[in-house]
Amino acid sequence: MPIAALTDAEIDAALPEIPGWRLREDRRALRRDFVFADFGGAFGFMARVALLAEKADHHPEWSNVYNKVSIALTTHDAGPGGRISARDIALARAIGAICPA
């Protein structure tokens, strides 16, 4: 079942509510990089995010290199190539609650 994509105006209005997140160049995803003291800190953060994502039935695109975690949030069911939906904003907010900007 398709999920409604947010309009550009809705995305722009939501960005101040999710500090540290920015739009990917194509405006189809939210992006944020996180840096930790070491790999253990990065991996622990990823485990906490995985639990949040699983509970929300919404899963990030992410990568990890040593102490850095890069996350992109997009909703693949919101349009071809993915679009930003309310699910992305909600997950960005939840991630921000465990690792503020």
Side-chain angles (χ1 to χ4, degrees):
M1 180 172 171
I3 296 172
L6 296 179
T7 65
D8 285 343
E10 290 170 324
I11 293 166
D12 291 340
L15 282 173
E17 301 172 11
I18 48 173
W21 293 89
R22 63 191 187 286
L23 287 174
R24 194 169 66 191
E25 287 182 21
D26 63 6
R27 295 186 61 92
R28 293 181 179 198
L30 299 170
R31 292 204 31 79
R32 186 167 169 197
D33 296 323
F34 299 85
V35 179
F36 300 90
D38 54 26
F39 178 73
F43 192 82
F45 168 73
M46 290 178 72
R48 291 190 304 276
V49 171
L51 294 173
L52 292 172
E54 190 65 23
K55 184 176 180 182
D57 192 30
H58 187 54
H59 306 97
E61 297 174 4
W62 57 8
S63 67
N64 164 243
V65 177
Y66 182 58
N67 69 334
K68 182 179 175 184
V69 177
S70 297
I71 300 178
L73 300 176
T74 190
T75 301
H76 297 284
D77 292 337
R83 297 286 189 276
I84 297 171
S85 75
R87 292 176 125 195
D88 302 303
I89 302 299
L91 188 52
R93 193 175 288 122
I95 293 169
I98 62 171
C99 191

